[in-house]
Structure formats: C-alpha cells, structure tokens
Amino acid sequence: MKDIVFTVTHLKFLNKDVFELKLTAPEPLPECRAGQFINLKVADASLCLRRPFCLYKFDKTSVTLIIEIVGKGTRLLAQLKKGDTVTGVMPLGNGFIVEKQHQNIALISGGIGCAPLLAVPLTHPNKNVCAYLGFSDKSKTVLVDEFKKACRVKVSTDDGSYGFNGYATDAFLDDFNSGVFKPDVLLTCGCEPLLKAVQQISRQLKIPAYMTGETRMGCGVGACLVCACAVHEGGKTVQKRACADGPVFLIEDVVL
Amino acid sequence: MKLSVNIAGVEFKNPIIAASGTFGFGREYNRFYDVSVLGGICTKGLTLLPREGNAGTRIAETPSGMLNAVGLQNPGADRFIREEMPFLETLNTVVIANVAGNTEDDCVALTRKICQTNVDMIELNISCPNVKEGGVAFGVCPTSVENITRKVKRACTKPLIVKLSPNVSRIADNARAAQNGGADAISLINTLTGMAIDYRTRRPVLSFTTGGLSGPAIKPVALRMTYEAYKSVSVPIIGMGGIMSAEDVLEFMIAGARAVQVGSANIFDPFASFNLVKTLTTLLKACKIEDISELTGSLKVN
C-alpha cells in the first residue's frame, strides 16, 4: 500500500455542518468496497493523528467523502480549496461483504451514518435495496436525493418534520410487519442507540445484520490496537481492531 | 558513510528501531514497505498469557501528541512464538521482544521462554502506565528496578535492555539501578502519564481514566532524560520520545543515545520509520558525518 497525494476537485456544503469532499488521485486507485475507509492527514503539525472517513462514492481515480465538522481536524478539512492537496491511505478495513444469497438488502442509518451505505446499491445494481434513512429533523436530512437515484428510500425524522414520524428502525419495522419488504440482510450505520435497535431486530427477526460503527482510531492499519471493538467470539469477549478486523462487524457479535 | 551501530554486541544496520506497541509484530507495516530496511523492530509488549487489554476508548489526541491506554493487549507468549516469530525470522533486521508481567516471576518465566526463540534481544518493560498491576509499578522505585532487572537478567540468555519510565523522581537513579541490576542497555522514555477530559460529559476521554502521553509533545522531556541517563551509566542507551524527523534522531544521539526508537510517528504516518532511514542518510551527508556513532554523547555543554 502507499500514501496517495490527492487533489481536491470539489467541496460542497450539504448543510451547515456537513460537507462533501471529492478527492482525485494522480493515478488509478486500488479497488474499493462499500464500508471501507481512508485515513487522511490534516495540514496542522499539532494535530498528529490522521482522520478516518468512510468512502461515500468512489471510482477508478477519485473518492468522495461526507464529513461532519466535529472538531479542529474536520474544520481544517472544511477549509480546503479546489486544487489543494491532501494525503491519505486507502482503501482500509474490510468493508461490507454482500453475499450472493443476499438479494434483498435493507440499509438502516441514523443521520450522517447513511454515507457509507450508498456505495452498496451503487456497486450492486442488481440487488433489491431499500434505504431507511433516519434524521433528527428535516434540517438535518442529507443525501436523500443521492439514495433515491440508487435505490428505494424511506426517510424518517425523530420529530416527524419530514417523512415517517419515528426512527429509521421504526420505519423499517413498519414495512416489514406490513409485508412490504422482507430483506435477507440488514446493513447499518449510525449512533449507538440505533445500532442497539438493529441488533435487537436482527435477533428477533433472525435476519443477519452488519454494522459499521465509529471509534477513535490511531494508525488505521492494524498495528497500534487503540480502536478496540469488543466482540463475542467462542464464548469470550475479545477486543478486535475496528480498523483492520472491521470496521464492518456482524452486529450479533458486537458488545454494544 | 557508516550508519550501523552496535548495542551490547548486537549489530544494527542503522539506528532506527520501531518502538514497542506502535508496530505490532511488523506485519502491518510490511504491507507499506520492506520493514527489513529498519535497524530493528521491537515487538508489541508480550505477557506470559494472552491479554485483551482495556475495554472502551483507548486513545485521545492531544496538542502535538496522543494519549493511549491499550493495556498491553497481546496474544501471549505461546501464540507469539507460534504465529508471529516465524514471520519475524524471515526479516533481515534485529528483533527485540518487549516483555512485561504482573509479577517478577511472570517476567522471569516469560523471559526464559522467549529466550528459547531466535529473537536477538529482550526489552524488559517495567514502565507500562496502562495496567493495574505490574507495568510501571516495578519501574518507579530504583530498588525495585534493580531487583527485577537482576532476576530477569539471571534468566536471560540474550542481551537485556531495560525500558525506563519517565514518571519517576530522578531518571539517573533508575538508569543506574538498571545498570547495577545487570542491564546490557537502557531504553527511554516510555510514555508520560497524562489525562484528557471531555468538558461536556465531565468524564475522562479514556476508559482507563489516565493514559500514556507520546508524540512530539514529549520530545524535550525525552531529550533531557536521555542526557541525564547518559551521564549516569556506561551501558548503551536507546533514546525515544516524540522522534518525527532525522534531525530529531541526531539530537537524541548527541544527547547520548546510541540508537533510537520511533513510536508514535508510525501511528501518525505508516511510512514514518522508512522515511527516517532515507532522510537520515541525506542529513548525515549534508552534515559531513562519516560515522553516525561519533554523534553519541557529543553534546557540547554550555
């Protein structure tokens, strides 16, 4: 693997805190999978750690990321201008493995957690995919139109200001219970309460579910062991590396 | 130009050694470059039995550095020997096994076991701040440093490095204690104990509450301690703490180090150690230094 020096070719704010960043590489990129991530260097010597971001869209020479401003590092990235360069290593992590028998796929996300899921329908155009995208309120909705171009979509808001009134998991159960959609697999990303709800649904309905979570990360390549994710394995709780063993885990195994 | 250095009879092709806990067992970085270009690799801290480490958040970024509280997660001696040693043996670089334990007896038993492998050296870790028992507990008081060093040395058939904690009253006393106990070399510094707090939740960021501070933020402290240790012992010193550039390497060597370990820099940049070897050569040429060893302890005191 190598460090890639990307050029910023596009930066657009989707709402006041979330922006889309397109990075173009000088040469063809390695093959990527939905759910994999990039570890990006920030141009500030006092911020030593790289920042991991899931791949939102990718093609042979570019990757697009969806970034929420949560601190100094993401604020600096938001100030990048077209033509600036930024260094990163990618693709990292396992990503979502969509199996052959998984023809019907439900995507369940909370907020910006929808970002890593779009590449699933984009890279599997022959699958029957429905995205249940949950947001806190109408002002926080992002990427809905992008999902609509790729698959069926059901938007929900916690306060009912847009779409289904409730959580994304409620919207999914609504469809499931009324027989509208019976998926073979659930793929999810979002806050911990959402992940817990999906874990419960997966157990109750006996539908396998895979999650990609969020954790503080160090090297991003599996060496430093700081991004521990507690997983049940062989009757024991073991600490897996989110960066190298994940970031996608079978939700059944994860200690949430 | 001569880049090689000798520590306790072990020849390193250059003075750049990957530090314990930041480099796994070398496999991950070998996907980025041939890790045999390094002078040496120090393994993740090993214990007799496998350890899962601390649960929850293990890292926090700090200005020009980071805090970690991994808690010595490692596969244990048997799996290390079975699964990691065969790979390490294929490398053309010095392999140093970092050993730790809850008790002196654990450290001794582990050292005995690891010495039966083809590792080149043992680094005794009496300075891990992120475990409840053992770890730094052995490393604070000079008397306990000397005692554990002596016991481990008796069981150790390979050259023994003792890795010192900076969280002590007088580093010179601890360096001397390690030497008196029979250490063949000393490495320093391990991380400085620190803390990060989230003002919104009023909770420590790290699940373990405290963690070990590393990165460029600690370099001045590490340089000072390398210098003080150099003045107080005659065994070779391996310096570390926030090394990011070839210039940093030279500074540590001038302070008294015969070689250096590079830790957090690997976490910040997967090519850090590789780039250091390359830029070190360039810098030595520019400085017209023929033999890198001439730098060791060459500080001109004001």
Side-chain angles (χ1 to χ4, degrees):
Chain A
M1 296 196 83
K2 53 185 183 178
D3 244 350
I4 303 167
V5 181
F6 293 91
T7 303
V8 175
T9 44
H10 170 87
L11 191 155
K12 183 177 94 179
F13 270 81
L14 304 179
N15 64 33
K16 97 178 170 17
D17 297 319
V18 178
F19 62 97
E20 183 180 289
L21 178 67
K22 185 173 183 182
L23 305 172
T24 301
E27 52 192 278
L29 291 169
E31 205 170 310
C32 304
R33 201 182 294 134
Q36 289 188 302
F37 70 95
I38 184 170
N39 216 10
L40 269 192
K41 207 166 169 173
V42 180
D44 181 329
S46 76
L47 303 177
C48 294
L49 292 171
R50 292 185 178 204
R51 268 59 179 167
F53 300 105
C54 68
L55 307 179
Y56 163 62
K57 284 182 184 172
F58 44 84
D59 57 33
K60 285 202 167 63
T61 55
S62 79
V63 284
T64 306
L65 316 173
I66 301 295
I67 300 175
E68 183 168 21
I69 299 174
V70 293
K72 284 182 199 160
T74 43
R75 186 159 292 120
L76 275 173
L77 290 170
Q79 289 162 7
L80 285 169
K81 299 272 175 289
K82 207 171 165 177
D84 286 349
T85 57
V86 49
T87 302
V89 174
M90 64 151 280
L92 298 169
N94 57 355
F96 289 109
I97 315 274
V98 177
E99 292 174 34
K100 215 173 175 180
Q101 72 269 28
H102 294 155
Q103 187 53 36
N104 302 300
I105 303 169
L107 310 176
I108 304 177
S109 70
I112 196 178
C114 60
L117 301 178
L118 179 68
V120 173
L122 289 181
T123 53
H124 298 88
N126 298 325
K127 301 277 183 184
N128 179 24
V129 181
C130 186
Y132 298 89
L133 312 177
F135 301 94
S136 55
D137 62 71
K138 193 181 174 186
S139 74
K140 294 284 197 298
T141 57
V142 286
L143 309 176
V144 173
D145 291 339
E146 292 300 314
F147 273 89
K148 281 183 176 163
K149 285 183 217 163
C151 62
R152 282 186 297 128
V153 177
K154 193 161 175 178
V155 179
S156 57
T157 50
D158 300 355
D159 65 354
S161 54
Y162 184 74
F164 184 90
N165 186 351
Y167 299 129
T169 42
D170 299 329
F172 165 73
L173 285 175
D174 193 51
D175 270 9
F176 185 86
N177 292 332
S178 60
V180 174
F181 192 46
K182 301 273 184 191
D184 307 309
V185 66
L186 315 174
L187 308 179
T188 186
C189 179
C191 60
E192 204 175 292
L194 175 105
L195 299 176
K196 279 184 177 164
V198 174
Q199 189 178 51
Q200 208 177 354
I201 289 171
S202 167
R203 280 178 186 153
Q204 278 170 359
L205 304 182
K206 298 196 168 32
I207 302 173
Y210 292 88
M211 60 161 272
T212 176
E214 190 168 58
T215 179
R216 286 169 187 258
M217 214 172 257
C219 67
V221 300
C224 76
L225 311 184
V226 302
C227 58
C229 177
V231 167
H232 297 296
E233 195 180 75
K236 282 189 308 188
T237 302
V238 299
Q239 301 291 339
K240 293 278 186 184
R241 303 164 299 177
C243 67
D245 303 314
V248 176
F249 291 98
L250 185 64
I251 209 162
E252 180 69 29
D253 297 340
V254 179
V255 181
L256 286 169
Chain B
M1 187 203 305
K2 185 169 169 278
L3 265 182
S4 62
V5 296
N6 189 296
I7 295 171
V10 178
E11 191 80 3
F12 292 72
K13 65 165 83 88
N14 62 60
I16 309 293
I17 305 167
S20 176
T22 65
F23 214 74
F25 300 103
R27 283 181 204 275
E28 288 80 13
Y29 291 101
N30 205 50
R31 288 164 61 210
F32 290 88
Y33 60 90
D34 177 4
V35 295
S36 292
V37 301
L38 303 178
I41 292 175
C42 197
T43 69
K44 170 70 191 162
L46 297 165
T47 48
L48 208 45
L49 299 174
R51 279 181 65 104
E52 280 304 323
N54 299 323
T57 303
R58 293 175 170 185
I59 186 169
E61 189 174 49
T62 62
S64 300
M66 56 174 269
L67 287 159
N68 91 83
V70 172
L72 280 177
Q73 181 177 351
N74 81 93
D78 290 340
R79 263 181 62 201
F80 164 72
I81 293 168
R82 207 170 54 235
E83 295 171 16
E84 306 297 344
M85 235 3 247
F87 168 73
L88 288 165
E89 281 174 9
T90 66
L91 303 175
N92 177 26
T93 187
V94 173
V95 176
I96 305 169
N98 182 287
V99 303
N102 286 346
T103 64
E104 288 182 340
D105 289 348
D106 281 359
C107 292
V108 168
L110 176 61
T111 301
R112 199 166 275 137
K113 204 164 201 173
I114 301 293
C115 278
Q116 288 164 12
T117 71
N118 287 328
V119 301
D120 299 291
M121 300 177 99
I122 300 285
E123 182 178 64
L124 176 62
N125 181 358
I126 50 167
S127 45
C128 178
N130 299 326
V131 290
K132 290 208 171 72
E133 294 169 79
V136 78
F138 301 125
V140 176
C141 166
T143 319
S144 62
V145 171
E146 185 171 335
N147 285 342
I148 192 166
T149 304
R150 183 165 290 120
K151 283 184 182 159
V152 170
K153 175 65 185 172
R154 255 186 245 134
C156 192
T157 56
K158 314 264 182 182
L160 177 67
I161 306 165
V162 175
K163 185 169 180 178
L164 299 180
S165 167
N167 306 305
V168 299
S169 307
R170 278 195 301 270
I171 197 72
D173 292 351
N174 291 40
R176 220 175 284 123
Q179 177 174 276
N180 291 344
D184 300 299
I186 284 163
S187 60
L188 79 171
I189 59 175
N190 204 321
T191 54
L192 286 154
T193 305
M195 193 168 169
I197 293 174
D198 184 336
Y199 72 90
R200 287 157 296 200
T201 59
R202 302 194 184 190
R203 285 181 185 280
V205 174
L206 299 171
S207 306
F208 194 70
T209 304
T210 58
L213 181 65
S214 63
I218 71 165
K219 196 189 102 181
V221 178
L223 267 179
R224 187 263 295 178
M225 290 192 168
T226 300
Y227 174 58
E228 289 180 354
Y230 178 73
K231 286 193 298 181
S232 62
V233 295
S234 56
V235 293
I237 290 169
I238 301 171
M240 78 190 93
I243 292 175
M244 298 283 278
S245 67
E247 288 81 356
D248 294 340
V249 176
L250 265 52
E251 290 170 22
F252 272 84
M253 293 188 75
I254 291 165
R258 200 171 292 183
V260 297
Q261 288 187 14
V262 179
S264 303
N266 298 310
I267 295 176
F268 306 148
D269 176 354
F271 288 98
S273 291
F274 174 80
N275 287 335
L276 269 182
V277 173
K278 272 202 316 196
T279 52
L280 186 60
T281 312
T282 316
L283 183 61
L284 289 178
K285 262 184 208 150
C287 296
K288 299 192 167 53
I289 295 164
E290 287 298 320
D291 179 354
I292 194 158
S293 293
E294 77 183 55
L295 288 167
T296 298
S298 63
L299 185 76
K300 296 173 186 169
V301 180
N302 293 331

